Amino acid sequence: MAFRDGSVTTVLRVPLTLLFFCFLSPASFSDATIPSTLDGPFTPVTISLDTSLRGKAVDLPDTDPRVQRYVTGFQPEQISLSLSSNYDSIWVSWITGEFQIGMNVTPLDPTSVASIVQFGTLKNSLIHTATGSSLVYNQLYPFEGLLNYTSGIIHHVRITGLNPSTVYFYRCGDPSHGMSKIHHFKTMPVSSPSSYPSRIAIVGDTGLTYNTTATISHLVQNSPDLVLLVGDMSYANLYLTNGTSSDCYSCNFSDTPIHESYQPRWDYWGRFMENLTSTVPLMVVEGNHELELQAGNKTFEAYSSRFAFPYIESGSTSTFYYSFNAGGIHFIMLGAYIDFGRSGEQYEWLKRDLAKFNRSVTPWLVVTWHPPWYSTYTAHYKEAECMKVAMEELLYSYGTDIVFNGHVHAYERSNRVYNYQLDPCGPVHIVIGDGGNREKMAIEHTDEPGKCPSPLSTPDAALGGQFCPSNSTMTGAFCWDQQPPYSALRESSFGHGILEMKNATWALWTWHRNQDTNSQVGDQIYIVRQPDLCPTHNVTT
């Protein structure tokens, strides 16, 4: 699709401070056949289901070399990186010691192994050292016959004083027990309107199936500088404590005294992901499959223990919500499974974080949480409506540019939307919960005859269990009778996405389907900011 003539007028309206960047758009960096949001809103499109993709998802077995433990003793494994709030620091995480699962388990002593990272800009001269902390978490069930779990020792070390856009080499561990081999990472660029990571991969609802391996293989081939995982990682809670699995837990294991979880799947997932996560930072946000209820009503223990989060650096008090910068992008990760009401702590933190947000430093505002506000699939339809009612106005008032969600196991991209209506100043919402997990792909749409769910069936207990009605269609009905105007494209396929910021106002979004070659794309569009058209809060503290 060619760009409309009106796009030139739009470029000329941009303030002079951004004129240079917009003058480059799109011809200097783009294929003019790729549409942009300036060409929208687009007529809704549904891509027909490829029935060959409906085969049963098959888990990687624990005998697969990619998930087996490859170290001995207290040598490091499951090494992963995550960003701090800015380019000058990064987190390194790993595990030492083997997990235990059984009726009686004895947790390891986390103080028995040091948490040390040696690093430097030269592979053969790791002259700097950083130390951190360690922990062990348990998954315990006070019921006869259920197996308990205790993790290996999980280490988190924050490296500080780093330079932007610089390759560092590192190894981690405890010299008295064994260090890892040397890995490397590249720091994020300095935050400015002209510097961005080259590629950011977005993926959701991964699990650990052969579909997952295809997704991650394609993702790695796209050479991302950063990966965002928008919730639902290992799917350990689709298993009994004896390792028996199911496509539908409530269907097959309805008589269990508690919703069990097979925690070794987390270790398998960490081992499988290590080739990627030991080199490329991975930023995660919790999904419903991370809840994992255990004794004492504890939840999200694996999620909060296994990953490092820049929540303290970003002024948050919870691993469920935090923010960070990656070049000229400000990312906000929100928690849907913690209080999101306007009187709650998360909402107050969000207001503070947005008040500090400065578009002259980070022009792009990208927000992520797990369950989508804008999805037309019957799966999880309007589950997060109460969160939308609480937070959408605030995010809109600060000009959120793009929203990424998972939860629904399909792909869907919206037109710019606010409060269910087309709005040129609303964000583009992208559902990308199609990472390849064990559960079924979402294929039915609420606008199909007889598919609209009962409104009172939609609340999810994990999200508070409340029903929050809203005037969601032009007629006030709960579902549309055709694909809604806000839904630009939807397709039931597994895959991942790549986000490339070209400058302060143009970003290229590409969705890759697993069944395609790397030269093919399932969806591609330039997302264009129009700061002159959509004035927002712009506090420059």
Side-chain angles (χ1 to χ4, degrees):
M1 182 182 297
F3 290 94
R4 294 178 180 172
D5 293 340
S7 65
V8 176
T9 303
T10 301
V11 169
L12 293 178
R13 289 202 306 267
V14 175
L16 290 177
T17 55
L18 298 177
L19 184 58
F20 172 73
F21 299 108
C22 294
F23 184 76
L24 294 177
S25 310
S28 62
F29 57 73
S30 73
D31 178 349
T33 63
I34 300 172
S36 80
T37 51
L38 300 178
D39 299 313
F42 300 96
T43 302
V45 173
T46 299
I47 305 298
S48 299
L49 174 69
D50 183 348
T51 56
S52 68
L53 303 177
R54 293 293 293 154
K56 181 179 175 63
V58 178
D59 279 325
L60 261 67
D62 57 10
T63 56
D64 191 294
R66 290 169 290 185
V67 304
Q68 289 185 322
R69 191 169 187 246
Y70 65 91
V71 299
T72 59
F74 288 92
Q75 295 176 324
E77 63 156 335
Q78 303 181 49
I79 301 168
S80 65
L81 304 168
S82 56
L83 298 182
S84 190
S85 55
N86 286 297
Y87 70 83
D88 58 355
S89 59
I90 199 167
W91 286 92
V92 182
S93 303
W94 68 94
I95 293 180
T96 55
E98 180 63 299
F99 67 79
Q100 303 166 52
I101 187 163
M103 298 300 296
N104 298 299
V105 295
T106 303
L108 298 172
D109 177 6
T111 66
S112 63
V113 181
S115 306
I116 296 173
V117 176
Q118 299 167 345
F119 65 100
T121 56
L122 299 176
K123 186 175 183 179
N124 296 322
S125 182
L126 306 182
I127 60 175
H128 304 289
T129 300
T131 60
S133 60
S134 58
L135 60 95
V136 167
Y137 82 91
N138 308 305
Q139 192 80 10
L140 305 176
Y141 302 101
F143 301 101
E144 184 178 352
L146 301 191
L147 304 180
N148 297 312
Y149 171 94
T150 183
S151 71
I153 301 172
I154 302 171
H155 304 261
H156 299 301
V157 174
R158 184 185 176 203
I159 304 174
T160 60
L162 304 177
N163 295 318
S165 302
T166 302
V167 174
Y168 286 88
F169 298 90
Y170 77 95
R171 61 188 172 200
C172 59
D174 180 340
S176 63
H177 291 281
M179 301 291 286
S180 72
K181 70 177 184 180
I182 296 177
H183 300 276
H184 69 276
F185 61 83
K186 185 178 181 180
T187 53
M188 291 294 105
V190 67
S191 292
S192 81
S194 60
S195 59
Y196 298 93
S198 295
R199 293 182 184 88
I200 302 168
I202 318 289
V203 66
D205 301 68
T206 53
L208 193 54
T209 70
Y210 288 101
N211 290 325
T212 311
T213 65
T215 301
I216 300 303
S217 175
H218 281 71
L219 184 155
V220 168
Q221 291 175 47
N222 276 316
S223 302
D225 298 319
L226 173 65
V227 178
L228 265 63
L229 205 170
V230 295
D232 285 0
M233 292 146 231
S234 74
Y235 283 77
N237 73 335
L238 286 185
Y239 303 78
L240 296 177
T241 61
N242 64 10
T244 303
S245 61
S246 171
D247 295 327
C248 172
Y249 190 101
S250 60
C251 301
N252 297 74
F253 305 137
S254 57
D255 296 331
T256 58
I258 192 173
H259 192 131
E260 300 172 48
S261 176
Y262 186 62
Q263 289 294 294
R265 294 299 297 185
W266 275 108
D267 296 282
Y268 303 159
W269 190 87
R271 292 165 186 165
F272 171 77
M273 294 290 288
E274 182 179 344
N275 284 339
L276 171 65
T277 60
S278 60
T279 302
V280 181
L282 173 70
M283 306 305 289
V284 301
V285 69
E286 83 285 353
N288 56 299
H289 283 275
E290 278 73 67
L291 192 145
E292 298 181 320
L293 178 65
Q294 63 163 297
N297 289 321
K298 290 184 178 180
T299 55
F300 296 99
E301 286 290 294
Y303 166 82
S304 294
S305 300
R306 289 178 177 269
F307 300 100
F309 308 87
Y311 72 98
I312 295 176
E313 299 103 278
S314 60
S316 169
T317 60
S318 171
T319 59
F320 287 4
Y321 54 91
Y322 59 93
S323 66
F324 62 95
N325 292 333
I329 315 165
H330 186 63
F331 285 98
I332 297 179
M333 316 289 273
L334 294 177
Y337 302 95
I338 194 173
D339 183 13
F340 45 69
R342 294 189 178 185
S343 61
E345 189 172 320
Q346 179 176 202
Y347 191 86
E348 288 300 316
W349 169 84
L350 178 59
K351 288 197 299 183
R352 294 192 302 270
D353 191 82
L354 288 169
K356 294 185 291 184
F357 168 53
N358 184 351
R359 287 201 188 265
S360 68
V361 178
T362 51
W364 288 92
L365 178 58
V366 178
V367 186
T368 291
W369 62 91
H370 185 59
W373 296 348
Y374 291 96
S375 169
T376 62
Y377 291 87
T378 57
H380 308 298
Y381 184 62
K382 292 191 179 179
E383 276 186 3
E385 190 70 10
C386 293
M387 183 184 182
K388 175 183 175 297
V389 170
M391 289 186 162
E392 185 177 28
E393 182 180 1
L394 178 61
L395 292 176
Y396 176 81
S397 71
Y398 277 89
T400 299
D401 298 302
I402 311 172
V403 170
F404 290 107
N405 305 114
H407 202 41
V408 176
H409 302 159
Y411 175 75
E412 186 165 17
R413 170 176 54 82
S414 80
N415 287 305
R416 291 194 176 276
V417 60
Y418 171 63
N419 196 26
Y420 290 111
Q421 305 300 315
L422 296 175
D423 190 317
C425 298
V428 174
H429 288 252
I430 296 174
V431 178
I432 191 157
D434 57 348
N437 67 80
R438 185 183 178 90
E439 292 183 314
K440 294 179 180 179
M441 185 183 296
I443 59 173
E444 296 180 343
H445 306 109
T446 59
D447 48 274
E448 296 172 9
K451 300 300 183 182
C452 182
S454 166
L456 294 181
S457 71
T458 57
D460 187 336
L463 286 157
Q466 295 181 323
F467 176 66
C468 294
S470 66
N471 185 20
S472 57
T473 70
M474 296 299 291
T475 62
F478 190 64
C479 298
W480 283 256
D481 59 4
Q482 58 185 341
Q483 187 172 354
Y486 72 75
S487 176
L489 176 67
R490 61 189 184 187
E491 180 176 355
S492 298
S493 294
F494 294 120
H496 75 282
I498 296 291
L499 181 65
E500 302 171 73
M501 267 58 183
K502 300 300 183 179
N503 56 42
T505 53
W506 285 72
L508 179 62
W509 166 252
T510 307
W511 175 56
H512 296 270
R513 294 176 297 209
N514 283 2
Q515 66 268 32
D516 295 334
T517 64
N518 278 345
S519 61
Q520 295 175 282
V521 297
D523 182 32
Q524 193 167 50
I525 188 170
Y526 284 104
I527 299 173
V528 186
R529 294 183 55 243
Q530 296 179 270
D532 59 325
L533 177 65
C534 306
T536 61
H537 292 285
N538 191 20
V539 179
T540 56
T541 56

